[in-house]
Amino acid sequence: MSVQHSKASLRAFYAEALRNGRSTSEKLCAPVPARFLALLASLPADTPRRALDLGYGAGAYTIALAEAGFTVIAVDQAPAESLLHRLLAHEDLAERVTVVESLLEQYVVQEDFGLLVAKDVLHYLSQHDVERLLTGAVRSSRSVNLHYLEIFTAISRTDAHGGQIHIEGEARYTPDTLGRALERIYDGWDVTVRWDDHTEQDTRSGRSYFEATRATVVASRRFPAPVGTAAMSGRETA
């Protein structure tokens, strides 16, 4: 038996979690990992210092980007209050951040961003909306660009009775279908993908309620882009 949760209930869940400072299973309030900070430090010097953070959540990546000297557009359906409150403690950064409350499936990328970040959010969109959003960013690229994506595929959510849970309209990518989509979207870019098995467990019962294969995607290009198809890495496991 499967149960479908609406997108409205999903939005309400995250809005309540952010208002009350709850990290949730995705660890919304966790600091940015060292591997992402190392990626920021390794960017070419001619990367435009404008960044787009899709799905800002509690704002950890937005703040890290601003601290690295980027002007940031942060987009999410989540209420902006949590992020704006965090920015109050970083007065020197606040002027670098523009917060946009919007459903990602309604957002249109129309600017050239040196860095685009989308962490643990794109799987909630339909495949059509994921590909429209990323294709728009690729088409807007006019310079040195890097896209950093973390996308869950092959998702299995189970309730306490073993029933399957689905989110209304979510992508439901498999590693194969996501890989093919990335090849289409990032034609001419250099693309590496790391695949990791991911499990989330109930802290009280130890029951695994969320299992997936997470793709960590780093897509980069210099302008003008080389002719040819994006080079995709093989499967890696942590």
Side-chain angles (χ1 to χ4, degrees):
M1 178 178 178
S2 64
V3 177
Q4 180 167 275
H5 289 190
S6 70
K7 288 199 171 183
S9 67
L10 185 72
R11 289 193 290 272
F13 170 81
Y14 283 109
E16 190 274 335
L18 289 167
R19 276 194 296 266
N20 292 283
R22 290 195 294 106
S23 185
T24 78
S25 57
E26 299 95 332
K27 298 180 175 58
L28 293 177
C29 298
V32 173
R35 67 178 181 274
F36 181 76
L37 297 177
L39 181 67
L40 285 182
S42 68
L43 291 174
D46 54 348
T47 303
R49 309 309 284 184
R50 285 181 57 77
L52 177 62
D53 184 6
L54 296 172
Y56 56 73
Y61 282 74
T62 293
I63 291 171
L65 291 165
E67 287 177 334
F70 284 87
T71 299
V72 187
I73 305 295
V75 185
D76 203 332
Q77 65 185 17
E81 286 83 0
S82 176
L83 174 53
L84 294 174
H85 180 74
R86 290 188 71 180
L87 287 171
L88 290 176
H90 303 271
E91 293 183 9
D92 55 328
L93 302 182
E95 63 183 16
R96 297 182 188 168
V97 177
T98 300
V99 181
V100 179
E101 282 191 40
S102 172
L103 298 175
L104 294 188
E105 52 264 46
Q106 296 177 357
Y107 186 75
V108 179
V109 182
Q110 296 178 310
E111 303 174 58
D112 179 28
F113 291 98
L115 181 58
L116 180 151
V117 176
K119 181 183 183 299
D120 295 352
V121 67
L122 294 180
H123 64 282
Y124 288 124
L125 309 184
S126 70
Q127 293 187 19
H128 171 79
D129 286 328
V130 171
E131 294 171 34
R132 178 199 58 79
L133 190 60
L134 296 179
T135 298
V138 167
R139 288 175 177 169
S140 297
S141 173
R142 298 290 181 271
S143 54
V144 178
N145 282 186
L146 185 139
H147 290 186
Y148 177 86
L149 319 171
E150 293 189 19
I151 307 174
F152 287 121
T153 70
I155 294 171
S156 174
R157 300 182 187 88
T158 56
D159 62 21
H161 306 290
Q164 287 291 309
I165 300 173
H166 300 296
I167 305 298
E168 173 192 8
E170 67 181 342
R172 300 190 191 181
Y173 279 116
T174 67
D176 286 343
T177 58
L178 178 61
R180 290 195 293 271
L182 294 172
E183 288 180 351
R184 291 193 301 271
I185 295 165
Y186 290 109
D187 182 43
W189 290 48
D190 293 323
V191 180
T192 60
V193 184
R194 172 175 172 168
W195 303 95
D196 296 291
D197 294 329
H198 179 87
T199 302
E200 294 171 12
Q201 295 178 317
D202 185 286
T203 56
R204 291 168 296 182
S205 68
R207 178 182 65 86
S208 296
Y209 61 86
F210 182 92
E211 297 179 346
T213 301
R214 179 161 57 191
T216 300
V217 182
V218 178
S220 61
R221 70 169 288 184
R222 300 191 67 85
F223 189 83
V227 176
T229 301
M232 303 291 294
S233 75
R235 178 183 174 92
E236 299 177 21
T237 55

